[in-house]
Amino acid sequence: MATESPILIASVQRAFRLMEAVGAHEGGAPAQQLARETGLALTATYHLLRTLAHDGYLRQLEDGGYVLGDRLDTLQSGGREQAQLSYVRPALASLRDDLSAAAYLTFYEDGEIQVAEIVDSPRAPQVDIWVGFEDAGHATALGKCLLRELDDEARNDYLSRHPLADLTPRTITRRSELVRRLDTSPRPPVVTDMEEYTLGTYCVAVPVFRGQTPGSLGVSLRVDRLSQLNQVRDRLIPAAKRVTRGLSLTI
């Protein structure tokens, strides 16, 4: 049986050809030149250029030439992040399977706690994220781990913008108490939250790094598995080293 040819969208192909042609001219190129180089009709070239410029993928210069737009930087940045995560996702999956616990990876970027990846399964479901981690740094092991790695200025900045909301009866809501615990937590650098984010769940986290960007790797478990805390700690620390090494491969 003959294999069916894939359905291709010609307009999408033309748009990419046009962006490739624009990218070949560091100082920009006018529509007429781009039409000749791509073999596109001049009218179609104008329509595509206007559309791509409108959406930020191209930018028109004062002399009428076109250069690549800022929107492509966002795509390239996202591609780099995907490549980084592809290196470390197996380590998170292994952690999930070994501990039967959902695994989480976060980073502190642009003054906020950002969740980069969650690897769970039906047997190891993630915690119910009823309050975004970016606003719950004081109540999650992942967030507290990140806050402990920050210098005083960065930590004070975060805490000044995020009130210590009372999420459960166990949540630390006094800033002085939170800072005291962050600064006196034991080494090696393992941080826990005991039902501080959600009742019935405890979490454990350790620091990771992507270059100079601090992050945290953690897992969440039911409180009836609290007896496994030492096992979780022993498994997390080497996993964090592998994740940090994996992240360094794509910097």
Side-chain angles (χ1 to χ4, degrees):
M1 180 184 296
T3 302
E4 293 185 5
S5 298
I7 298 175
L8 304 179
I9 308 300
S11 59
V12 175
Q13 292 179 309
R14 289 194 292 268
F16 280 117
R17 281 163 50 197
L18 197 54
M19 285 195 291
E20 289 173 353
V22 171
H25 298 278
E26 185 176 346
Q32 295 89 338
Q33 182 178 352
L34 294 169
R36 289 194 303 271
E37 293 179 357
T38 58
L40 299 175
L42 184 58
T43 300
T45 300
Y46 275 122
H47 288 318
L48 286 170
L49 289 171
R50 281 196 293 267
T51 300
L52 292 168
H54 177 270
D55 289 345
Y57 294 105
L58 298 180
R59 179 166 57 90
Q60 187 173 21
L61 304 175
E62 292 184 1
D63 63 5
Y66 287 86
V67 295
L68 296 176
D70 295 337
R71 190 76 176 271
L72 287 178
D73 293 337
T74 302
L75 291 178
Q76 292 172 340
S77 175
R80 286 192 295 270
E81 291 177 2
Q82 288 179 345
Q84 289 172 341
L85 291 177
S86 71
Y87 276 95
V88 302
R89 195 173 286 113
L92 271 65
S94 177
L95 192 62
R96 174 203 61 195
D97 296 340
D98 288 351
L99 296 175
S100 296
Y104 309 79
L105 179 65
T106 68
F107 293 103
Y108 193 76
E109 298 178 301
D110 299 323
E112 299 295 345
I113 298 169
Q114 307 286 349
V115 178
E117 188 68 69
I118 299 176
V119 177
D120 62 352
S121 71
R123 292 182 56 195
Q126 70 179 63
V127 67
D128 179 20
I129 303 179
W130 67 286
V131 175
F133 282 6
E134 67 274 10
D135 293 317
H138 66 297
T140 64
L142 292 157
K144 289 191 291 182
C145 185
L146 280 171
L147 291 175
R148 191 175 66 172
E149 295 302 318
L150 300 180
D151 60 32
D152 290 341
E153 181 179 359
R155 182 193 294 174
N156 290 334
D157 174 67
Y158 174 88
L159 294 175
S160 69
R161 294 181 286 106
H162 297 276
L164 307 188
D166 187 7
L167 303 183
T168 79
R170 294 177 176 271
T171 306
I172 302 171
T173 57
R174 290 194 300 116
R175 181 168 172 173
S176 59
E177 175 66 9
L178 175 65
V179 172
R180 184 188 69 79
R181 294 197 188 189
L182 291 176
D183 290 341
T184 59
S185 56
R187 301 296 193 217
V190 177
V191 181
T192 62
D193 84 70
M194 297 296 176
E195 299 185 275
E196 297 165 44
Y197 177 74
T198 187
L199 292 175
T201 299
Y202 78 96
C203 299
V204 189
V206 292
V208 296
F209 293 90
R210 184 176 62 196
Q212 298 301 312
T213 301
S216 58
L217 172 68
V219 294
S220 61
L221 304 95
R222 299 186 311 275
V223 290
D224 59 12
R225 298 177 60 191
L226 189 56
S227 62
Q228 300 175 18
L229 179 57
N230 288 335
Q231 175 191 352
V232 172
R233 287 171 170 165
D234 292 342
R235 185 69 182 82
L236 265 175
I237 293 171
K241 291 179 181 178
R242 287 196 297 274
V243 168
T244 294
R245 284 199 301 270
L247 292 170
S248 70
L249 293 175
T250 54
I251 293 176

